[in-house]
Amino acid sequence: IMQCHFCQNNIKKIDFKNTELLLKFMSEMRKIRPRKKTGVCATHQRKLKTAIKRARHLALVPYTNL
């Protein structure tokens, strides 16, 4: 079983300004990857979702890769 990236590295808060980290959890088409693919626990997946959506809203991360 894969360990959650955030639990493993003891990361408490997912910062929406850290676009490099957010892009690791998005597909090539800039869709949010599911938990089964990333191995992130449910708690951190929800926090990751919120951070990605905030970054998209502020145009830090694109909605699509077109």
Side-chain angles (χ1 to χ4, degrees), residues 14-33 48-66:
I14 301 171
D15 190 16
F16 67 90
K17 291 175 283 220
N18 188 353
T19 56
E20 217 172 283
L21 178 74
L22 297 179
L23 290 173
K24 286 182 185 175
F25 295 96
M26 297 171 78
S27 69
E28 298 79 40
M29 295 304 291
R30 299 295 173 240
K31 292 175 90 177
I32 303 170
R33 283 205 173 113
L48 187 65
K49 173 193 74 171
T50 308
I52 290 173
K53 288 184 177 186
R54 272 192 191 142
R56 281 177 176 167
H57 185 72
L58 294 169
L60 300 173
V61 173
Y63 281 95
T64 57
N65 198 18
L66 297 175

